[in-house]
Amino acid sequence: MSSVNSTGSSYPPTFLLVGIPGLEKEQFWIAFPFCIMYAIAVLGNIILLIIIKTESSLHEPMYLFLAMLAFTDLVLSTSMVPKMLTVFWRGSREIGFVSCLVQLFFVHNFTTVESGVLMAMALDRYFAICHPLRHSSILSMPVVAALGSLVLLRGFLMVGPACFLLHKKAFCQHRVISHSYCEHMAVVKLVCEDTRVNAAYGLSVAVAVIGVDLTLIIVSYTMILRVVLKLSASDTQLKAFNTCVSHICVILAFYVSGLFTFLTHRFGHSIPQHIHILVADIYLLLPPTLNPIIYGVRTKQLRDRIVVLFQRKGI
Protein backbone atom coordinates (compact mmCIF):
# COMPACT_ATOMS: atom_id res chain seq x y z
CA MET A 1 0.00 0.00 0.00
CA SER A 2 2.94 2.36 0.30
CA SER A 3 5.61 3.52 -2.06
CA VAL A 4 9.11 4.77 -1.39
CA ASN A 5 10.59 7.85 -3.03
CA SER A 6 14.25 8.57 -3.72
CA THR A 7 14.80 10.13 -0.31
CA GLY A 8 13.62 7.05 1.54
CA SER A 9 10.32 8.47 2.82
CA SER A 10 7.22 6.36 2.21
CA TYR A 11 3.66 7.30 1.48
CA PRO A 12 0.50 5.52 0.28
CA PRO A 13 -0.34 5.94 -3.41
CA THR A 14 -3.78 7.24 -2.45
CA PHE A 15 -5.66 8.69 0.51
CA LEU A 16 -9.34 8.24 1.31
CA LEU A 17 -11.43 11.34 2.04
CA VAL A 18 -14.24 10.66 4.51
CA GLY A 19 -16.26 13.75 3.66
CA ILE A 20 -18.08 14.82 6.81
CA PRO A 21 -17.36 12.29 9.59
CA GLY A 22 -20.58 11.19 11.27
CA LEU A 23 -22.75 12.52 8.44
CA GLU A 24 -21.79 10.08 5.70
CA LYS A 25 -25.47 9.29 4.97
CA GLU A 26 -26.63 12.91 5.11
CA GLN A 27 -23.79 14.37 3.04
CA PHE A 28 -25.50 13.31 -0.21
CA TRP A 29 -28.17 15.94 0.52
CA ILE A 30 -25.70 18.43 2.00
CA ALA A 31 -23.96 18.42 -1.39
CA PHE A 32 -26.93 20.14 -3.08
CA PRO A 33 -26.65 23.51 -1.28
CA PHE A 34 -22.86 23.28 -1.63
CA CYS A 35 -23.26 22.77 -5.38
CA ILE A 36 -25.64 25.75 -5.64
CA MET A 37 -23.20 27.93 -3.68
CA TYR A 38 -20.35 26.84 -5.94
CA ALA A 39 -22.36 27.63 -9.08
CA ILE A 40 -23.17 31.10 -7.71
CA ALA A 41 -19.52 31.63 -6.80
CA VAL A 42 -18.25 30.65 -10.26
CA LEU A 43 -20.88 32.63 -12.18
CA GLY A 44 -20.71 35.69 -9.94
CA ASN A 45 -16.94 35.97 -9.88
CA ILE A 46 -16.63 35.40 -13.64
CA ILE A 47 -19.15 38.20 -14.22
CA LEU A 48 -17.14 40.51 -11.95
CA LEU A 49 -13.93 39.71 -13.83
CA ILE A 50 -15.57 40.30 -17.22
CA ILE A 51 -17.10 43.62 -16.16
CA ILE A 52 -13.91 44.96 -14.56
CA LYS A 53 -11.82 43.88 -17.56
CA THR A 54 -14.10 45.35 -20.23
CA GLU A 55 -15.03 48.62 -18.47
CA SER A 56 -12.09 51.03 -18.60
CA SER A 57 -13.78 53.30 -16.03
CA LEU A 58 -13.35 50.51 -13.47
CA HIS A 59 -9.59 50.26 -13.89
CA GLU A 60 -9.03 51.81 -10.48
CA PRO A 61 -7.30 50.32 -7.39
CA MET A 62 -10.56 49.37 -5.66
CA TYR A 63 -11.86 47.40 -8.64
CA LEU A 64 -8.48 45.93 -9.55
CA PHE A 65 -8.19 44.54 -6.02
CA LEU A 66 -11.76 43.26 -6.38
CA ALA A 67 -10.72 41.48 -9.60
CA MET A 68 -7.85 39.87 -7.68
CA LEU A 69 -10.34 38.79 -5.01
CA ALA A 70 -12.69 37.32 -7.64
CA PHE A 71 -9.85 35.37 -9.27
CA THR A 72 -8.68 34.12 -5.87
CA ASP A 73 -12.21 33.00 -4.99
CA LEU A 74 -12.52 31.10 -8.28
CA VAL A 75 -9.28 29.20 -7.72
CA LEU A 76 -9.98 28.59 -4.03
CA SER A 77 -13.47 27.17 -4.51
CA THR A 78 -12.55 25.16 -7.62
CA SER A 79 -9.57 23.57 -5.88
CA MET A 80 -11.80 21.77 -3.38
CA VAL A 81 -15.52 21.77 -4.30
CA PRO A 82 -15.52 19.48 -7.40
CA LYS A 83 -13.68 16.72 -5.55
CA MET A 84 -15.82 17.28 -2.47
CA LEU A 85 -18.99 16.81 -4.54
CA THR A 86 -17.71 13.55 -6.03
CA VAL A 87 -17.11 12.29 -2.48
CA PHE A 88 -20.59 13.34 -1.34
CA TRP A 89 -22.54 12.15 -4.39
CA ARG A 90 -20.59 9.29 -5.93
CA GLY A 91 -18.62 8.01 -2.95
CA SER A 92 -15.41 8.53 -4.97
CA ARG A 93 -13.22 8.95 -1.91
CA GLU A 94 -9.78 8.17 -3.34
CA ILE A 95 -7.31 10.96 -4.05
CA GLY A 96 -3.70 10.40 -5.10
CA PHE A 97 -0.88 11.45 -2.78
CA VAL A 98 0.47 14.04 -5.21
CA SER A 99 -3.04 15.27 -6.03
CA CYS A 100 -3.70 15.62 -2.31
CA LEU A 101 -0.58 17.76 -1.83
CA VAL A 102 -1.52 19.87 -4.85
CA GLN A 103 -5.01 20.42 -3.44
CA LEU A 104 -3.55 21.22 -0.03
CA PHE A 105 -1.20 23.76 -1.62
CA PHE A 106 -3.92 25.52 -3.61
CA VAL A 107 -6.40 25.62 -0.73
CA HIS A 108 -3.98 27.03 1.84
CA ASN A 109 -2.07 29.20 -0.64
CA PHE A 110 -5.16 30.98 -1.94
CA THR A 111 -6.65 31.26 1.54
CA THR A 112 -3.50 33.18 2.41
CA VAL A 113 -3.78 35.19 -0.82
CA GLU A 114 -7.42 36.07 -0.06
CA SER A 115 -6.42 37.38 3.36
CA GLY A 116 -3.71 39.49 1.74
CA VAL A 117 -6.08 40.90 -0.88
CA LEU A 118 -8.61 41.86 1.82
CA MET A 119 -5.81 43.62 3.66
CA ALA A 120 -4.80 45.48 0.47
CA MET A 121 -8.44 46.50 -0.09
CA ALA A 122 -8.60 47.89 3.46
CA LEU A 123 -5.45 49.94 2.81
CA ASP A 124 -7.00 51.21 -0.43
CA ARG A 125 -10.12 52.40 1.44
CA TYR A 126 -7.89 54.04 4.08
CA PHE A 127 -5.99 56.10 1.52
CA ALA A 128 -9.18 56.87 -0.47
CA ILE A 129 -11.03 58.26 2.56
CA CYS A 130 -8.25 59.54 4.83
CA HIS A 131 -5.90 60.87 2.12
CA PRO A 132 -8.10 61.36 -0.97
CA LEU A 133 -5.78 63.86 -2.67
CA ARG A 134 -2.83 61.47 -2.48
CA HIS A 135 -4.77 58.28 -3.19
CA SER A 136 -4.06 58.06 -6.91
CA SER A 137 -0.36 58.88 -6.48
CA ILE A 138 0.16 56.41 -3.60
CA LEU A 139 -1.81 53.53 -5.13
CA SER A 140 -0.71 53.91 -8.73
CA MET A 141 -1.08 51.06 -11.20
CA PRO A 142 2.51 49.81 -10.65
CA VAL A 143 1.95 49.84 -6.88
CA VAL A 144 -1.32 47.90 -7.22
CA ALA A 145 0.40 45.33 -9.45
CA ALA A 146 3.31 45.07 -7.01
CA LEU A 147 0.96 44.55 -4.04
CA GLY A 148 -0.91 41.82 -5.90
CA SER A 149 2.35 40.10 -6.85
CA LEU A 150 3.68 40.31 -3.29
CA VAL A 151 0.47 38.83 -1.87
CA LEU A 152 0.66 35.92 -4.33
CA LEU A 153 4.37 35.41 -3.67
CA ARG A 154 3.80 35.47 0.10
CA GLY A 155 1.26 32.68 -0.18
CA PHE A 156 3.61 30.56 -2.27
CA LEU A 157 6.58 31.09 0.07
CA MET A 158 4.55 30.34 3.19
CA VAL A 159 2.57 27.31 2.03
CA GLY A 160 5.21 25.73 -0.23
CA PRO A 161 7.49 24.62 2.66
CA ALA A 162 4.54 22.94 4.42
CA CYS A 163 3.96 20.74 1.36
CA PHE A 164 7.69 20.06 1.05
CA LEU A 165 7.90 18.97 4.71
CA LEU A 166 4.97 16.59 4.22
CA HIS A 167 6.49 15.12 1.06
CA LYS A 168 9.61 14.16 3.02
CA LYS A 169 7.72 12.35 5.78
CA ALA A 170 6.93 8.65 6.12
CA PHE A 171 3.21 7.88 6.29
CA CYS A 172 1.50 5.05 8.14
CA GLN A 173 -0.65 2.43 6.48
CA HIS A 174 -3.67 4.27 7.83
CA ARG A 175 -4.65 6.52 4.92
CA VAL A 176 -8.13 7.83 5.82
CA ILE A 177 -8.38 11.62 5.95
CA SER A 178 -11.21 12.63 8.26
CA HIS A 179 -12.07 15.67 6.19
CA SER A 180 -13.79 16.75 2.96
CA TYR A 181 -10.53 17.91 1.35
CA CYS A 182 -6.79 17.64 1.96
CA GLU A 183 -6.38 20.00 4.89
CA HIS A 184 -2.85 20.42 6.26
CA MET A 185 -3.31 19.15 9.82
CA ALA A 186 -5.64 16.36 8.71
CA VAL A 187 -2.83 15.03 6.48
CA VAL A 188 -0.16 15.63 9.14
CA LYS A 189 -2.07 13.29 11.49
CA LEU A 190 -1.35 10.40 9.08
CA VAL A 191 2.43 10.79 9.39
CA CYS A 192 4.26 8.11 11.39
CA GLU A 193 7.23 10.32 12.30
CA ASP A 194 7.55 13.24 14.68
CA THR A 195 5.25 15.98 13.36
CA ARG A 196 6.00 18.76 15.83
CA VAL A 197 7.86 20.76 13.18
CA ASN A 198 4.95 20.42 10.73
CA ALA A 199 2.39 21.43 13.36
CA ALA A 200 4.51 24.34 14.60
CA TYR A 201 5.13 25.59 11.08
CA GLY A 202 1.45 25.42 10.16
CA LEU A 203 0.51 27.26 13.36
CA SER A 204 3.15 29.96 12.83
CA VAL A 205 2.00 30.59 9.24
CA ALA A 206 -1.64 30.90 10.33
CA VAL A 207 -0.78 33.23 13.21
CA ALA A 208 1.52 35.35 11.03
CA VAL A 209 -1.02 35.75 8.21
CA ILE A 210 -4.06 36.36 10.42
CA GLY A 211 -2.10 38.49 12.89
CA VAL A 212 -0.54 40.82 10.32
CA ASP A 213 -3.48 41.10 7.92
CA LEU A 214 -6.22 41.40 10.53
CA THR A 215 -4.22 43.96 12.53
CA LEU A 216 -3.72 46.15 9.46
CA ILE A 217 -7.41 45.80 8.54
CA ILE A 218 -8.56 46.78 12.05
CA VAL A 219 -6.17 49.74 12.20
CA SER A 220 -7.23 50.91 8.72
CA TYR A 221 -10.94 50.85 9.50
CA THR A 222 -10.42 52.42 12.92
CA MET A 223 -8.67 55.36 11.22
CA ILE A 224 -11.41 55.47 8.56
CA LEU A 225 -14.13 55.57 11.23
CA ARG A 226 -12.41 58.44 13.03
CA VAL A 227 -12.18 60.47 9.82
CA VAL A 228 -15.77 59.72 8.76
CA LEU A 229 -17.20 60.75 12.12
CA LYS A 230 -15.45 64.12 11.81
CA LEU A 231 -17.09 64.89 8.45
CA SER A 232 -19.60 67.71 8.72
CA ALA A 233 -21.86 66.80 5.80
CA SER A 234 -24.21 63.88 6.55
CA ASP A 235 -24.41 62.84 2.89
CA THR A 236 -20.62 62.63 2.72
CA GLN A 237 -20.62 60.50 5.86
CA LEU A 238 -23.28 58.21 4.38
CA LYS A 239 -21.34 57.82 1.13
CA ALA A 240 -18.15 56.95 3.02
CA PHE A 241 -19.99 54.44 5.22
CA ASN A 242 -21.64 52.81 2.20
CA THR A 243 -18.25 52.47 0.53
CA CYS A 244 -16.87 50.60 3.53
CA VAL A 245 -19.88 48.46 4.43
CA SER A 246 -19.30 46.09 1.50
CA HIS A 247 -15.68 45.55 2.51
CA ILE A 248 -16.57 44.99 6.16
CA CYS A 249 -19.23 42.39 5.26
CA VAL A 250 -16.72 40.49 3.09
CA ILE A 251 -14.06 40.68 5.80
CA LEU A 252 -16.45 39.37 8.45
CA ALA A 253 -17.60 36.50 6.22
CA PHE A 254 -13.99 35.42 5.70
CA TYR A 255 -12.39 35.95 9.12
CA VAL A 256 -15.22 34.93 11.48
CA SER A 257 -15.59 31.47 9.96
CA GLY A 258 -11.82 31.24 9.48
CA LEU A 259 -11.04 32.05 13.11
CA PHE A 260 -13.71 29.60 14.30
CA THR A 261 -12.17 26.85 12.17
CA PHE A 262 -8.63 27.69 13.27
CA LEU A 263 -9.47 27.81 17.00
CA THR A 264 -11.74 24.76 17.13
CA HIS A 265 -9.25 22.67 15.16
CA ARG A 266 -6.61 23.22 17.86
CA PHE A 267 -8.52 23.98 21.04
CA GLY A 268 -12.18 23.05 20.56
CA HIS A 269 -11.86 19.33 21.17
CA SER A 270 -15.29 19.24 22.82
CA ILE A 271 -16.97 20.41 19.59
CA PRO A 272 -18.33 17.48 17.50
CA GLN A 273 -16.11 16.68 14.55
CA HIS A 274 -18.91 16.98 12.00
CA ILE A 275 -19.57 20.56 13.16
CA HIS A 276 -15.90 21.41 12.74
CA ILE A 277 -15.71 19.89 9.25
CA LEU A 278 -18.95 21.56 8.15
CA VAL A 279 -17.71 24.99 9.28
CA ALA A 280 -14.34 24.35 7.58
CA ASP A 281 -16.16 23.55 4.31
CA ILE A 282 -18.39 26.61 4.62
CA TYR A 283 -15.34 28.76 5.45
CA LEU A 284 -13.85 28.02 2.02
CA LEU A 285 -17.14 28.25 0.12
CA LEU A 286 -19.12 31.05 1.76
CA PRO A 287 -16.80 34.02 0.94
CA PRO A 288 -16.49 33.13 -2.78
CA THR A 289 -20.30 32.89 -2.90
CA LEU A 290 -21.06 36.09 -0.99
CA ASN A 291 -18.31 38.37 -2.33
CA PRO A 292 -19.77 38.92 -5.85
CA ILE A 293 -23.28 39.29 -4.41
CA ILE A 294 -22.21 41.85 -1.80
CA TYR A 295 -20.15 43.91 -4.21
CA GLY A 296 -22.61 43.55 -7.07
CA VAL A 297 -25.54 44.75 -4.95
CA ARG A 298 -23.89 47.43 -2.83
CA THR A 299 -21.51 49.00 -5.38
CA LYS A 300 -23.48 51.28 -7.72
CA GLN A 301 -20.90 51.26 -10.53
CA LEU A 302 -20.84 47.46 -10.61
CA ARG A 303 -24.60 47.17 -10.21
CA ASP A 304 -25.19 49.46 -13.19
CA ARG A 305 -22.69 47.53 -15.35
CA ILE A 306 -24.29 44.20 -14.40
CA VAL A 307 -27.75 45.49 -15.40
CA VAL A 308 -26.38 46.71 -18.74
CA LEU A 309 -24.61 43.36 -19.32
CA PHE A 310 -27.80 41.36 -18.84
CA GLN A 311 -29.83 43.80 -20.91
CA ARG A 312 -27.43 43.31 -23.79
CA LYS A 313 -27.92 39.55 -23.54
CA GLY A 314 -31.68 39.97 -23.36
CA ILE A 315 -32.05 38.44 -19.93
Side-chain angles (χ1 to χ4, degrees):
M1 292 296 295
S2 63
S3 58
V4 180
N5 61 20
S6 58
T7 62
S9 60
S10 61
Y11 49 80
T14 60
F15 290 123
L16 295 176
L17 292 166
V18 170
I20 305 175
L23 296 179
E24 286 86 354
K25 295 181 179 179
E26 293 82 1
Q27 64 191 19
F28 176 86
W29 302 106
I30 294 173
F32 285 97
F34 278 12
C35 183
I36 294 171
M37 292 172 68
Y38 177 60
I40 294 172
V42 171
L43 181 62
N45 286 295
I46 287 177
I47 289 174
L48 281 184
L49 287 171
I50 292 173
I51 290 174
I52 294 172
K53 182 180 184 301
T54 54
E55 294 291 339
S56 58
S57 61
L58 299 180
H59 293 175
E60 300 176 2
M62 172 182 169
Y63 300 106
L64 294 177
F65 285 131
L66 179 56
M68 296 179 195
L69 186 67
F71 175 77
T72 301
D73 285 338
L74 278 174
V75 177
L76 180 59
S77 57
T78 302
S79 65
M80 46 86 70
V81 175
K83 178 59 183 177
M84 182 191 300
L85 293 179
T86 63
V87 173
F88 289 178
W89 275 336
R90 299 176 55 191
S92 180
R93 301 166 59 196
E94 284 195 346
I95 182 170
F97 177 79
V98 174
S99 298
C100 184
L101 288 188
V102 170
Q103 186 186 62
L104 186 155
F105 173 79
F106 273 91
V107 167
H108 290 283
N109 180 27
F110 280 89
T111 302
T112 303
V113 170
E114 176 138 355
S115 179
V117 173
L118 291 176
M119 179 266 294
M121 295 176 77
L123 292 177
D124 169 66
R125 290 301 84 202
Y126 166 75
F127 287 116
I129 295 174
C130 299
H131 303 283
L133 298 179
R134 300 171 55 197
H135 177 240
S136 58
S137 60
I138 294 173
L139 286 177
S140 60
M141 293 293 287
V143 172
V144 171
L147 275 174
S149 300
L150 286 174
V151 166
L152 187 61
L153 180 62
R154 183 188 69 163
F156 178 83
L157 293 178
M158 283 186 162
V159 178
C163 298
F164 178 78
L165 288 172
L166 277 174
H167 189 267
K168 296 297 181 182
K169 292 292 185 180
F171 285 78
C172 304
Q173 292 298 317
H174 177 65
R175 59 192 184 105
V176 177
I177 299 176
S178 298
H179 216 298
S180 305
Y181 59 90
C182 290
E183 194 270 339
H184 177 249
M185 286 306 300
V187 178
V188 167
K189 291 177 181 178
L190 303 183
V191 174
C192 289
E193 303 177 32
D194 185 0
T195 59
R196 285 178 294 181
V197 173
N198 302 73
Y201 183 79
L203 180 62
S204 63
V205 167
V207 170
V209 171
I210 295 174
V212 172
D213 294 352
L214 198 54
T215 298
L216 287 173
I217 289 171
I218 292 173
V219 171
S220 296
Y221 279 102
T222 301
M223 298 296 291
I224 289 171
L225 183 62
R226 290 177 59 186
V227 170
V228 169
L229 292 176
K230 291 179 181 179
L231 296 174
S232 56
S234 58
D235 57 335
T236 307
Q237 282 185 335
L238 183 60
K239 182 178 179 181
F241 273 122
N242 284 335
T243 303
C244 295
V245 164
S246 300
H247 301 281
I248 294 173
C249 291
V250 168
I251 288 166
L252 289 175
F254 180 76
Y255 282 107
V256 170
S257 55
L259 285 171
F260 178 85
T261 301
F262 173 75
L263 293 174
T264 54
H265 187 74
R266 289 164 174 80
F267 309 111
H269 302 297
S270 61
I271 297 177
Q273 191 177 20
H274 66 273
I275 298 295
H276 165 67
I277 301 302
L278 264 175
V279 174
D281 293 342
I282 293 172
Y283 160 58
L284 295 183
L285 192 52
L286 186 63
T289 305
L290 289 182
N291 291 351
I293 297 174
I294 292 172
Y295 283 110
V297 171
R298 293 199 58 85
T299 307
K300 185 178 183 300
Q301 293 91 328
L302 286 174
R303 187 170 63 248
D304 293 343
R305 300 304 189 283
I306 292 172
V307 171
V308 171
L309 177 66
F310 282 104
Q311 285 178 345
R312 288 174 181 172
K313 294 184 178 296
I315 298 177

